[in-house]
Amino acid sequence: MYRKIIVAIALGRLDRGENILRKAASLLDAGGEIVALNVVEDVPTYVAIELPANMLEDAMKDGRDKLEALVAATGVTARIDIRNGPPAKAIIAAAESHRADLIILASHVPDFSNYFIGATADRVVRHAKCSVLVERQKI
């Protein structure tokens, strides 16, 4: 079905990451590729001044380590990509740079400010140039 799939995984919800990695594997064409993506959000400058200088590098290394462990645990073959910045923009940029034809991401139960899907998922759906599959949380 799909040749290149970006699977955006939040480290705070690795259980959902496992589910969407397996879903990606079921949708992947023979010879296709899955890219497991984690985005480390930027810290505002006024906060970053008070934090250790290597915090971003440590967070990106931690993200890589956790995604590698998750990928190994699921048995799904995937390339790891760690980026930083606003999550929706980074997910869309990753999809474009990898020439993905599908993005899969999980969405939390929204509040009134983003009623239909989560804020990041909403932005990705609206601006991605490829198909987007949003895995909803079971209530």
Side-chain angles (χ1 to χ4, degrees), residues 14 25 38 64 83 118 126:
L14 288 175
N38 177 254
R64 178 171 298 284
R83 297 186 179 223
R126 291 180 190 274

Side-chain angles (χ1 to χ4, degrees), residues 4 7 49 54 56 82-83 126 134:
K4 179 89 54 130
V7 180
I49 292 170
N54 60 344
L56 178 62
I82 307 294
R83 297 186 179 223
R126 291 180 190 274
V134 179

Side-chain angles (χ1 to χ4, degrees), residues 42-95:
D42 286 329
V43 177
T45 307
Y46 64 90
V47 174
I49 292 170
E50 302 297 324
L51 299 173
N54 60 344
M55 189 195 82
L56 178 62
E57 293 81 15
D58 290 348
M60 293 180 81
K61 183 187 178 316
D62 182 54
R64 178 171 298 284
D65 293 346
K66 287 182 178 176
L67 284 188
E68 286 173 352
L70 177 66
V71 166
T74 61
V76 172
T77 301
R79 180 192 309 183
I80 306 295
D81 188 358
I82 307 294
R83 297 186 179 223
N84 77 300
K89 285 184 180 183
I91 293 166
I92 292 166

